[in-house]
Amino acid sequence: MTILKGMRSDYEKLTKSMDDFSSERISLVPDSLSLSCQLNDTKPSKGTSGDISVLHLVDTCHLSWSGCVQLSTVEECPWNGQVWVGDTGTGEVSVFSHEGKLTKTIRGHGIIYPVGIAFGIKDREIFIADQRQQCIWVLNGNTYEITRHFGKDSSKKHRLHSISCILMDHKERIWVLNGNRVQIWSTGGEYQRTQEDGLSSISRISNISLNKAGKRIAVLESAQNRVYVMSTISWRTLFVIDVKEKVVKLTWDLYDRIIILLKDRVQVYEGRNLSKNEKIDEAPSNLSTLGDDVAVCYNHHVAVKSWKERK
């Protein structure tokens, strides 16, 4: 019995030390993840360093196309820098080059209500979560052709009935927020498990986001507008951010900071501490990070914003 207690104590120490390790201790930042695009007559801008204490957000590019009406999601492709944007109003998904030029619009292939996009690097596939079709579409990353879909034909217990978020972790597992449940699927479309530890007590989960290392997850509880930051190793709650006003979406940046989208502001948290509170145009619907840049969705365009020094 004494041996078992000692083993348990050692295990708890190990999990705690792993919880405390984060990617902010690693200085490797791939330049290829920064978006360069042109706004009017300005020169293309690249990402800034991790220090934003003397910086503020400046629009560098607007992404849009003819007929877009309700832009809902924006993500950057990790292998070529393309920016993918979904429109729940039309069911279209458009692809923009690294410089912000429209290169492809995908329409009429069964996609109705795209609410999230994720990328599988190993096989170069794109995964599009469709809330109305209750499935995840899989596209070939070279040809943009739909190769299959999954989730709709699963057992009743695991079926994707109300998708609101999709993520890809560093192990190429797909995390899906399905109703109030966080499910994990393989890229081949096999259901693996539902994550219940640490999440079962949260009543209304409306958004989740993994940090770059995949060791921490930010969970938005919409009822109380609280953000729970948890370890994905032990599923302990590391800290809670009590925002006290309606949160639209959240995400992580490359430096393990949490970026929170409000109705007219972007907030940046380092740990539980608010470090930036930037005013933006009202009525955004979503946000993402494109390298060092921040992309904010509105109905008719995506505003790509860079951190710049104040003049």
Side-chain angles (χ1 to χ4, degrees), residues 8-46:
R8 183 174 183 83
S9 175
D10 291 341
Y11 170 76
E12 290 174 348
K13 290 178 182 178
L14 176 63
T15 56
K16 186 178 188 304
S17 66
M18 293 178 74
D19 290 342
D20 292 336
F21 180 81
S22 68
S23 62
E24 64 192 14
R25 301 186 184 183
I26 301 174
S27 59
L28 178 64
V29 180
D31 292 336
S32 61
L33 291 179
S34 295
L35 177 72
S36 297
C37 54
Q38 201 160 352
L39 178 64
N40 298 327
D41 296 326
T42 61
K43 294 181 179 180
S45 61
K46 292 190 177 180

Side-chain angles (χ1 to χ4, degrees), residues 150-252:
F150 61 87
K152 181 183 291 189
D153 300 324
S154 300
S155 66
K156 186 177 181 179
K157 184 178 180 180
H158 308 313
R159 188 174 301 150
L160 297 178
H161 58 84
S162 184
I163 313 170
S164 57
C165 183
I166 180 174
L167 308 170
M168 183 75 69
D169 70 11
H170 65 291
K171 295 182 180 179
E172 297 254 320
R173 298 175 302 184
I174 299 171
W175 295 54
V176 182
L177 181 56
N178 184 27
N180 205 56
R181 295 180 296 171
V182 176
Q183 296 180 336
I184 299 176
W185 295 70
S186 72
T187 54
E190 294 84 25
Y191 167 83
Q192 295 185 341
R193 63 185 172 90
T194 296
Q195 179 60 44
E196 295 182 353
D197 291 346
L199 299 176
S200 58
S201 61
I202 302 178
S203 58
R204 289 176 58 189
I205 302 174
S206 60
N207 192 205
I208 58 173
S209 181
L210 290 166
N211 73 343
K212 182 175 175 59
K215 294 180 179 179
R216 294 187 178 188
I217 186 171
V219 181
L220 173 60
E221 182 185 36
S222 58
Q224 301 295 327
N225 290 303
R226 290 191 182 124
V227 177
Y228 294 81
V229 178
M230 301 177 178
S231 162
T232 57
I233 299 169
S234 66
W235 287 99
R236 295 187 305 116
T237 296
L238 304 176
F239 58 88
V240 178
I241 301 172
D242 195 353
V243 184
K244 298 185 183 300
E245 57 184 295
K246 181 175 176 55
V247 177
V248 180
K249 291 288 181 178
L250 59 81
T251 191
W252 296 80

Side-chain angles (χ1 to χ4, degrees), residues 43-59:
K43 294 181 179 180
S45 61
K46 292 190 177 180
T48 63
S49 68
D51 182 13
I52 61 169
S53 60
V54 296
L55 308 177
H56 69 122
L57 286 174
V58 176
D59 276 15

Side-chain angles (χ1 to χ4, degrees), residues 88-103:
T88 52
T90 64
E92 297 174 341
V93 176
S94 283
V95 183
F96 293 83
S97 71
H98 190 70
E99 293 74 32
K101 180 181 178 181
L102 178 64
T103 61

Side-chain angles (χ1 to χ4, degrees), residues 262-305:
L262 305 176
K263 67 177 183 178
D264 60 356
R265 278 168 294 143
V266 169
Q267 294 185 335
V268 181
Y269 284 82
E270 302 192 51
R272 69 185 73 199
N273 300 315
L274 177 63
S275 60
K276 297 293 290 186
N277 190 28
E278 291 283 313
K279 183 76 174 177
I280 62 170
D281 292 338
E282 292 188 0
S285 60
N286 205 343
L287 90 162
S288 181
T289 54
L290 309 178
D292 285 339
D293 296 338
V294 177
V296 181
C297 286
Y298 293 91
N299 279 346
H300 301 289
H301 72 277
V302 173
V304 180
K305 299 172 180 289

